Amino acid sequence: MLEPVLEVTDLTKRFERKGRSSVVAVDGVSFCVRADECVGLVGGSGSGKSTIAQMVTRLVEPTSGKIVLCGRDVSHVRGAGLRAMAKDVQMVFQNPASSFDPRRTLGEGVAESLRNMGMKKPAAYARARELMEQCGLSANMADCYPREVSGGQCQRAAIARALAPDAPLVVCDEPTSALDVTTQAQIVRLLKRIQCERGLAMLFICHDLALVQGFCDRVLVMQNGRIVEEGLASEVLACPSHPYTRLLLESASLAKKADK
Amino acid sequence: MRRYVIRRLLQLIPILIGITLLSFGMMHLAGGDAVTALLENQGVAVTQEVIDAKKHELGLDQPFMVQYLNWFRGLVTGNMGTSFVTGKDVFQTFASKLPATILLTLTSIIATVVVALPLGIVAATRQNKFVDYLIRVLSFVGNSLPNFFVALLLIFVFAIVLGWLPVISANIGKTGVAAISWAGLVLPTATLAIAMASKYTRQIRATVLDELSKPYVEGARARGVSESRILTKSVLKSVMIMLVTLLALSIGDLLGGTAIVETIFQWDGVGKLAVDSIVMRDYPMIQAYVVWMAIIYVMVNLAADLLYHYLDPRVRLGGDE
Amino acid sequence: MLEGKVRNGHTQDRADGLTAGGAGASSSASDSVTVRTQRVRRNYAKAKLVVFAVLAAAVLAVAVLAPLLCGYDPYAQDLSHALEAPSPTHLAGTDRYGRDLLSRIIVGSQSSVLFTLLLVVMIAVVGTAIGVVCGWKGDKLDVVLMRTSDVFLAFPGLVFALAIAGVLGGGMINAVLALAAISWPKYARIARGLTLAQKGEPYLAAARLAGCSTAQLVFSHILPNIAGPLLVTAMLDIGTMMMELAGLSFLGLGAQPPVAEWGSMMSENRSLLQTAPWTIIAPGIAIFITVMVFNLLGDAVRDYIDPSQRGRRKGLDESEEV
């Protein structure tokens, strides 16, 4: 059995608020993600799933608990150690357009991590174009600005960006929530293809259980900062045991019926 | 609400300490010059002994913090010392010059609003017509003329060439309230009003245009509401808010006594007092002026914030703290 | 099977790419009329910017090349020709020492224009730096610096300026320092607000994940995105600062005689308002024209960079020029 790419133990995040009681967004969460495995993290708003994404990528520092990424404990790492994480974990954000610097072209955004790792400009941009093409964009889109392209195209560029440093773990934080339904399906297909081809470990966060179906291998259901159910996707979706999971499932199928 | 007001008023203390300490420090750095200048002004022969004696008399030979604390203690008890130049009580002198500045402030503000408000609204409602262009050109020109130039031009035209108004705006030989000459009020007011009205007109025009382009105005028009009613009912509110902002900025400057205008017209207010005191190195008077500025700053900002809240209850008190 | 899907997805997006890329700056469902008017207005704004930039550059050239442009020596006294009204030999007349006024005005542009630009650059750079640090770091540093800026805002500028003159002596540099000390808070506040707004944007998180250091985030990402409004503010301030600097000189600070500076020239000739008004009016007009040029330039920059700042109705109207 391979070492998991990401191992999270007893992760907790407490937010202090001035003059009011503190909020516990994540409460003692433990899970792991292995290579070539797609783990879905599902829950409603306020369940803490986005906070987990931020902690795993160390955009936020955990209050307590341990995060081990590629065998390294990154729970409280700073400075250069933090920057080195770029080659281990990448993220695809919820809002495609605002995840790119509005004053830079998409190509520059995709190539940024490569430039930071020391690659020269021409090589980095060539590689960026290559990646963008692999994600279904035309190479000349590298010269477009985020406001000039559609949400779906922007998200494809974001995926290309996430692939650039060849990180073994990719975290997707609700990557389809800001897109329309047809584009959603395209992006999910792209992610699935990428994950299979490269054998990536993927943490897929969303609030829609239906999306998770057919995409994720395992699924974790979160409520109020805790994991209330976990297991193989097929099993959990077929026979949910926790009432909250059932609730989510019902909402998903209701939405599906409404679509039809 | 009351707690908010009290909290804001309490902010006066750190600001007061901050700026009086700052100005005290700067005066202190200029040190000996003050005494020398003072003695020379009094026609006293300047030797080292005389300087030292005067310094001791004025308490200037004590360590910095001691001097400052003494002064601060005096401030709290209402005694701001005596002027180095005239020997009179600082507080009384200062207070006697305030009415002139306050009067000028009032007339300037009234003149500005009377001119800028209608002009701004007219310019907006007749956008891009000749009237609008004319008003915009005038306000642009007004913004590009330094106030001392305007003052001198006005004197030249109205006092020298036409002879309608006096060149010097004060009753010669008198000070304080008695120096206020009503005919002499016109030119300083005009000078200040021209500068402010130019700025206000542009802003008011922009605000009105902005409001008129909002969807609810289109809706009102479609419902058959008359243009003037739209203006007075809805647009006026946002104009008022803009006006409060502008006034808050201007009143602070005006109550500080526009030094240049007061100096040119010899208008005996606190601005002229400030300039004279600084030239004469009259420390206690300068400190009094600085205290006054701190008070205005806090009061005006507080009044403006309260007015915002009154005009638009959505505005929460204590916004970005 | 998989490749088929890929190819389909590829072609689909290429088609999307062509339509999205080709329409330029317009959003979806673009009304071609709106796009045309937008482009026309943008070109008009650009033309205005070029025109006024050229004018301002001309003023700047005069200031830099001033000594070469004077017909007479600005400091040469010729008492036999004192207080002459404007004439073909002395286009702006002479002052009480017989010095050619036009030459003095030309040389005076060096003090007025160059020092003003120095002042504005200073407060923009220092204010922005402090504002960005406050916005980025937040916390105690933010509170301390903002309270300090409160103190400087409350401080009467005149007292500060004259006190600096008292401590350091007169001269334009000190006047610039004094004005800089009380003017930086405006830029700090703007920069701080803009930085705070940028802090919440995901693209900064993405840049962090791409391995950017804090310095890179600030300089490569935040600064370019907040530069626009700050630049506009600075450009619009040039005229105001020029007048303030002239005002300080008028009161006796700043330039000391016999240095030629427009404000001090007007002050030293104040008593001649009745007998020789040109000695006051000529420098005044010089200030007026220069301030006007820079105000026009500032407006043009604002209209070009951020058209939403103009007051407009129905989207088809002219800018807030003049």
Side-chain angles (χ1 to χ4, degrees), chain B:
Chain B
M1 170 77 130
R2 205 183 314 150
R3 212 181 309 154
Y4 174 71
V5 172
I6 293 180
R7 187 156 46 97
R8 288 291 296 266
L9 288 175
L10 283 179
Q11 279 182 359
L12 178 58
I13 298 180
I15 290 183
L16 200 62
I17 296 182
I19 78 177
T20 48
L21 202 55
L22 192 59
S23 77
F24 209 87
M26 289 195 299
M27 304 300 165
H28 197 76
L29 278 176
D33 300 309
V35 180
T36 321
L38 175 64
L39 290 171
E40 281 172 353
N41 277 328
Q42 292 178 344
V44 177
V46 173
T47 64
Q48 195 54 43
E49 299 170 334
V50 179
I51 292 181
D52 289 342
K54 195 71 182 173
K55 269 192 173 176
H56 185 75
E57 179 193 324
L58 293 172
L60 288 176
D61 52 353
Q62 290 180 317
F64 172 72
M65 275 319 283
V66 174
Q67 285 189 48
Y68 181 73
L69 287 168
N70 281 336
W71 175 81
F72 203 85
R73 203 167 2 120
L75 172 69
V76 173
T77 58
N79 171 22
M80 297 179 81
T82 55
S83 159
F84 281 2
V85 173
T86 62
K88 297 208 196 112
D89 180 52
V90 162
F91 183 74
Q92 270 182 353
T93 315
F94 196 84
S96 73
K97 311 271 185 183
L98 265 182
T101 297
I102 293 179
L103 176 62
L104 190 54
T105 302
L106 276 172
T107 54
S108 312
I109 298 248
I110 294 175
T112 302
V113 175
V114 161
V115 167
L117 196 54
L119 280 186
I121 294 180
V122 164
T125 51
R126 303 215 186 328
Q127 193 186 15
N128 291 328
K129 304 228 177 62
F130 176 69
V131 176
D132 182 26
Y133 272 114
L134 184 63
I135 292 177
R136 268 152 59 187
V137 166
L138 283 177
S139 76
F140 184 81
V141 165
N143 270 331
S144 309
L145 285 168
N147 56 358
F148 54 91
F149 190 37
V150 172
L152 292 171
L153 277 177
L154 285 176
I155 293 181
F156 182 66
V157 170
F158 290 99
I160 295 180
V161 171
L162 293 174
W164 290 351
L165 296 161
V167 172
I168 292 184
S169 297
N171 290 322
I172 317 281
K174 302 233 173 58
T175 54
V177 184
I180 297 178
S181 134
W182 300 97
L185 187 53
V186 176
L187 289 182
T189 304
T191 307
L192 292 169
I194 288 178
M196 290 201 294
S198 308
K199 202 167 57 161
Y200 281 36
T201 306
R202 293 189 98 185
Q203 299 280 60
I204 291 177
R205 176 184 178 278
T207 307
V208 173
L209 281 177
D210 207 40
E211 276 303 299
L212 285 178
S213 68
K214 292 214 172 121
Y216 78 84
V217 170
E218 300 271 329
R221 279 203 197 107
R223 285 199 309 274
V225 181
S226 75
E227 200 73 12
S228 53
R229 214 172 140 73
I230 295 179
L231 277 176
T232 43
K233 281 239 122 174
S234 358
V235 175
L236 209 59
K237 172 101 96 67
S238 32
V239 171
M240 282 302 135
I241 294 181
M242 166 61 66
L243 214 53
V244 168
T245 313
L246 292 171
L247 286 176
L249 291 173
S250 302
I251 288 192
D253 286 337
L254 289 172
L255 284 175
T258 39
I260 289 181
V261 169
E262 288 191 9
T263 308
I264 294 181
F265 291 102
Q266 292 291 300
W267 186 260
D268 203 18
V270 297
K272 178 163 160 302
L273 181 63
V275 176
D276 295 338
S277 308
I278 291 169
V279 166
M280 305 288 266
R281 306 277 195 270
D282 192 352
Y283 290 2
M285 198 62 79
I286 299 175
Q287 286 292 93
Y289 182 72
V290 171
V291 168
W292 169 240
M293 292 304 285
I295 296 176
I296 302 174
Y297 178 72
V298 170
M299 291 299 186
V300 168
N301 278 332
L302 177 58
D305 284 346
L306 289 174
L307 258 176
Y308 283 141
H309 182 73
Y310 171 70
L311 285 171
D312 186 358
R314 291 174 302 174
V315 174
R316 277 186 357 234
L317 291 175
D320 68 333
E321 289 182 44

Side-chain angles (χ1 to χ4, degrees), chain C residues 172-257:
Chain C
M172 288 300 280
I173 293 273
N174 294 331
V176 165
L177 283 175
L179 281 177
I182 54 169
S183 307
W184 67 263
K186 178 163 81 166
Y187 290 83
R189 275 174 196 222
I190 297 178
R192 177 181 175 271
L194 290 171
T195 305
L196 283 175
Q198 296 300 313
K199 240 171 52 161
E201 293 288 317
Y203 76 83
L204 286 177
R208 240 208 210 292
L209 284 178
C212 285
S213 61
T214 307
Q216 274 176 301
L217 283 178
V218 169
F219 286 100
S220 305
H221 289 287
I222 294 187
L223 276 180
N225 276 296
I226 65 174
L230 287 168
L231 180 66
V232 169
T233 308
M235 297 301 304
L236 290 173
D237 252 358
I238 294 182
T240 314
M241 286 296 142
M242 201 175 288
M243 292 196 288
E244 298 228 356
L245 214 48
L248 282 184
S249 294
F250 184 84
L251 285 174
L253 236 97
Q256 306 293 310

